[in-house]
Amino acid sequence: SVASLDGRFTINLPPLEVVWNQDLVICNEENKICCKNVSVGEVYLLSGQSNMEFSLKDSVPGAEAITDKDIEAIRYYKVPATTYYGKQTKLGGSWQKISKENANKISGCGFFFGSYIARNTNTPIGLINASLGGINLESWVSRETLLANNFYKDEVLEYEKKVSLEQIADSSVVSKGDEKIHQGLAKLFPTIPDITEYEKTW
């Protein structure tokens, strides 16, 4: 594979047999990169709103449902929730083996799904969690598709205009709709409420 001028490249691997916990070595005449503890199996995308984001630690049963087999079989990647304008080619975060210690990051629904498949197929399972509570469906649709739809076209262009203005004005520009919301909040909370006492009871 030959990299482009900006360093991007793609490597296509042939279909591989199931592999557990091996080293993946990538090398050329000058460099050698070794990725430790790599498995080959099936990868699933977990997506949706709060019911998919809902963590294993808050589920019943919770983290105590994790077995040694799950720890061996399941890898987990949580796509960081960020606001981003434009196309993304890099994400933060990293793949992790699941454990009772990191159960607060694991989707409960995703875990039970992945665990069931791993136990019944004896195959390593990769889970990519790209869920976010209350997210709009439009967030998953490409800009080109939204622009081709008359219902969304104006909304997309208005959003892009607003984002561009905010970047130029260092986020000091707000739309009339946002202004109305801020005014309403200011009436409800003329001063920032002290929530210390409430936090103690949660």
Side-chain angles (χ1 to χ4, degrees), residues 137-152:
L137 177 62
E138 293 82 359
S139 301
W140 299 98
V141 180
S142 71
R143 176 182 185 271
E144 293 74 21
T145 302
L146 291 173
L147 287 175
N149 185 308
N150 289 332
F151 184 81
Y152 289 110

Side-chain angles (χ1 to χ4, degrees), residues 6-202:
D6 62 0
R8 298 183 192 191
F9 64 93
T10 301
I11 296 176
N12 294 314
L13 299 174
L16 301 172
E17 297 294 325
V18 166
V19 173
W20 297 82
N21 307 320
Q22 298 294 308
D23 291 347
L24 173 65
V25 180
I26 304 167
C27 58
N28 61 16
E29 295 170 358
E30 301 171 8
N31 300 297
K32 183 176 179 181
I33 299 170
C34 183
C35 300
K36 301 278 187 184
N37 197 15
V38 175
S39 292
V40 175
E42 298 182 6
V43 178
Y44 294 91
L45 175 65
L46 313 174
S47 186
Q49 296 185 327
S50 54
N51 54 352
M52 184 59 79
E53 188 179 34
F54 195 79
S55 68
L56 176 61
K57 76 175 179 66
D58 294 323
S59 303
V60 177
E64 65 270 18
I66 299 175
T67 66
D68 291 342
K69 177 74 175 171
D70 297 322
I71 292 170
E72 185 68 18
I74 301 175
R75 305 291 205 282
Y76 187 80
Y77 177 78
K78 172 70 171 131
V79 177
T82 57
T83 301
Y84 190 85
Y85 170 64
K87 290 186 178 180
Q88 261 183 298
T89 56
K90 294 181 181 178
L91 295 172
S94 62
W95 283 96
Q96 297 181 7
K97 271 191 162 186
I98 67 162
S99 67
K100 294 183 180 182
E101 289 69 39
N102 67 14
N104 59 324
K105 299 175 185 175
I106 302 167
S107 158
C109 181
F111 166 77
F112 290 112
F113 168 78
S115 176
Y116 178 84
I117 294 175
R119 292 175 191 181
N120 285 277
T121 63
N122 198 34
T123 303
I125 301 296
L127 300 173
I128 300 173
N129 184 357
S131 58
L132 183 63
I135 194 169
N136 294 329
L137 177 62
E138 293 82 359
S139 301
W140 299 98
V141 180
S142 71
R143 176 182 185 271
E144 293 74 21
T145 302
L146 291 173
L147 287 175
N149 185 308
N150 289 332
F151 184 81
Y152 289 110
K153 183 178 180 181
D154 291 340
E155 189 176 325
V156 170
L157 295 174
E158 181 61 32
Y159 170 76
E160 290 178 346
K161 179 180 173 185
K162 178 183 171 185
V163 170
S164 298
L165 286 171
E166 287 180 350
Q167 288 173 347
I168 293 167
D170 195 25
S171 301
S172 61
V173 177
V174 292
S175 71
K176 289 179 182 176
D178 289 341
E179 223 168 69
K180 195 172 183 181
I181 292 171
H182 289 307
Q183 288 171 359
L185 288 171
K187 285 179 185 176
L188 287 170
F189 304 107
T191 58
I192 297 173
D194 180 6
I195 60 169
T196 309
E197 292 303 314
Y198 293 104
E199 285 180 336
K200 289 177 184 175
T201 64
W202 284 75

